[in-house]
């Protein structure tokens, strides 16, 4: 992990294994690795039931949500399934 957009949940330096089989956010809300115009990002993805739209969120309130995205507008790499963090430093 690199960056502060998912703090306090995820921090720079965290290790986040990804389940590449879970690449359809319509199946389950959660934290995903997505490919956008800005490269790879780790974001919270929510499916808006009944609308077939996706909202991409950062846990850090300093970043604005990206609501009402068409699922075809983002490429989901996989779902973050675990978090590892170094203790002390």
């Amino acid at each position: 992990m690199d960056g502060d957009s998912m703090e306090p949940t995820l921090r720079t330096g965290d290790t986040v294994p990804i389940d590449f089989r879970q690449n359809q956010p319509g199946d389950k809300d959660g934290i995903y690795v997505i490919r956008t115009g800005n490269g790879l990002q780790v974001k919270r993805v929510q499916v808006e039931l009944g609308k077939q739209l996706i909202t991409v969120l950062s846990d850090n309130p300093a970043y604005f949500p990206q609501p009402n995205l068409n699922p075809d507008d983002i490429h989901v790499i996989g779902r973050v399934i675990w978090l590892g963090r170094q203790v002390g430093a």
Side-chain angles (χ1 to χ4, degrees), residues 40-59:
L40 294 178
Q41 299 179 339
V42 178
K43 297 291 183 183
R44 192 171 298 279
V45 175
Q46 293 179 337
V47 177
E48 298 180 37
L49 297 175
K51 294 184 181 179
Q52 301 299 321
L53 297 174
I54 290 176
T55 297
V56 175
L57 302 154
S58 299
D59 286 358

Side-chain angles (χ1 to χ4, degrees), residues 1 3 7 16 18 27-29 33 41 54 66 75 80 82 84:
M1 273 294 305
E7 285 190 12
V16 289
I18 301 160
D27 295 342
K28 185 183 284 189
D29 290 353
V33 175
Q41 299 179 339
I54 290 176
Q66 300 170 47
H75 178 89
V80 173
W82 185 80

Side-chain angles (χ1 to χ4, degrees), residues 25-37:
D27 295 342
K28 185 183 284 189
D29 290 353
I31 299 174
Y32 288 85
V33 175
I34 61 173
R35 183 182 309 277
T36 64

